[in-house]
Amino acid sequence: MEKFVLGIDIGGTNSKVGLIDESGSIAFREIFPTKSEESFDIYLPRLKEIVDKLLTITGKVPIGIGVGAPNANFLTGMVHEPPNLSWGSVDLKKRFEELFKLPTFVDNDANLAAVSELLWGCASGVKHLLVVTLGTGVGTGIIIDGNVLQGAFGGAGEGGHIEIVPNGRACGCGGAGHLEAYASATGMKLTIKEILGSDVDLALLGTALKSGDKDALKIFGESAKYLGKGLASMATILFPEMVVLTGGVMNAGPIFLEMIRAEFEKMIFRSFRGKIKVEISSLPKEDGAILGAASIVFHNGIK
Ligand SMILES: [Zn+2]
């Protein structure tokens, strides 16, 4: 019999619930407003209602729940004062398990993205993997010997906050010169302003890159240098088999990827050259978050 899990992605604006099988197929999905001003105690019963409806419609019985949320910690099961939500700190794992009576796992988006690449994406069979999410921010998920690197307290692998430019741009974390301040969509918008002197839309430039537009080549070329440097620093320590890039910034496609590969090869530790694949995620972006959430349940051997 096919096994299903609930994959739940909690974002600052919307939440998404999906019922996903072992092959990564989505049987049903639902999106609803998170209502960031609400407390967790009001959110949870609202979520339960939506889940119950989904299970009634599909007639499926899930074997577990995977939850992706900002500041979620796999080891403690907690979310710590998620930005953009008025929840404070919540023991998400415990509250879900009490209410749904199902084994529940929680983690942050980047770690979940890494697990779903392993299970259903282009990193199938890969044991040492670095996944970098390039959206509003920059997140990293690290797989070592098939397991997510959590560090001593959970939440290890904040590769978006390594310094790539001494005394560089202010970063959202309070630091300066971090990769996120250059390679995120937010950072790239600053690069556009600095180089082109105006606010040209990033998605438009991404499209223009495909036809060899000069401005687009400049912006993406500059961003590829920052990203290549950051990825090479991380990969010099981790020596993964593969680096997978995901998130809205990668909509710019194969030309941007080639630029990143070239910079990465230039910067990587000499004896690692030519050995590490750099790829764009093959998973559907719109469902990436619920696939990621679902993947940790299977990855943790829930049967
Ligand atoms: Zn930072």
Side-chain angles (χ1 to χ4, degrees):
M1 208 176 76
E2 261 184 317
K3 287 175 182 141
F4 287 88
V5 305
L6 281 165
I8 302 175
D9 173 57
I10 304 172
T13 310
N14 288 314
S15 293
K16 201 167 180 182
V17 181
L19 204 53
I20 290 142
D21 73 10
E22 267 175 301
S23 69
S25 295
I26 302 169
F28 204 88
R29 59 169 84 64
E30 174 100 24
I31 185 163
F32 61 98
T34 305
K35 296 188 183 168
S36 58
E37 70 288 353
E38 273 182 12
S39 72
F40 181 73
D41 288 330
I42 298 175
Y43 174 82
L44 190 59
R46 204 155 55 79
L47 170 70
K48 174 83 161 60
E49 224 172 88
I50 288 158
V51 167
D52 286 347
K53 191 182 80 184
L54 198 151
L55 298 182
T56 310
I57 292 170
T58 57
K60 310 279 188 209
V61 181
I63 54 167
I65 304 177
V67 188
N71 290 2
N73 186 312
F74 177 84
L75 296 184
T76 62
M78 302 275 297
V79 277
H80 298 279
E81 303 183 355
N84 310 323
L85 294 177
S86 350
W87 289 4
S89 288
V90 177
D91 194 335
L92 212 62
K93 180 180 167 70
K94 186 169 155 236
R95 297 289 301 273
F96 269 69
E97 288 184 339
E98 276 169 5
L99 185 66
F100 292 97
K101 317 280 183 228
L102 286 168
T104 300
F105 300 88
V106 309
D107 212 332
N108 67 55
D109 295 357
N111 284 351
L112 296 175
V115 177
S116 59
E117 289 299 335
L118 218 55
L119 259 59
W120 303 314
C122 56
S124 160
V126 168
K127 286 218 153 116
H128 304 275
L129 173 70
L130 169 65
V131 172
V132 182
T133 61
L134 300 158
T136 320
V138 173
T140 56
I142 298 164
I143 306 282
I144 293 178
D145 219 359
N147 299 308
V148 181
L149 177 74
Q150 294 290 352
F153 305 103
E158 281 292 353
H161 302 283
I162 57 170
E163 186 189 89
I164 54 159
V165 178
N167 304 312
R169 287 180 193 162
C171 183
C173 72
H178 295 177
L179 180 62
E180 180 168 295
Y182 294 86
S184 64
T186 325
M188 285 182 70
K189 282 175 194 163
L190 282 173
T191 307
I192 292 172
K193 190 117 199 216
E194 277 176 19
I195 295 183
L196 303 181
S198 61
D199 293 315
V200 185
D201 183 71
L202 179 60
L204 276 181
L205 272 181
T207 311
L209 182 68
K210 290 164 193 161
S211 52
D213 178 82
K214 231 173 57 204
D215 286 344
L217 283 168
K218 247 189 253 172
I219 299 301
F220 284 97
E222 186 75 0
S223 303
K225 277 185 203 160
Y226 294 128
L227 201 49
K229 188 174 179 185
L231 295 178
S233 297
M234 292 184 244
T236 295
I237 293 171
L238 300 168
F239 200 4
E241 294 158 75
M242 188 185 278
V243 177
V244 177
L245 306 172
T246 181
V249 167
M250 292 316 295
N251 287 344
I255 300 177
F256 186 37
L257 179 65
E258 280 309 322
M259 291 169 156
I260 297 166
R261 281 178 174 156
E263 295 297 332
F264 176 78
E265 284 299 318
K266 246 189 255 170
M267 301 298 296
I268 189 80
F269 179 56
R270 192 175 290 261
S271 67
F272 293 0
R273 273 183 199 156
K275 295 195 171 77
I276 304 167
K277 289 184 190 140
V278 181
E279 305 289 349
I280 299 181
S281 169
S282 57
L283 293 171
K285 280 198 187 72
E286 63 281 11
D287 288 319
I290 49 170
L291 283 174
S295 69
I296 38 164
V297 182
F298 293 120
H299 188 65
N300 280 280
I302 295 301
K303 302 252 187 263

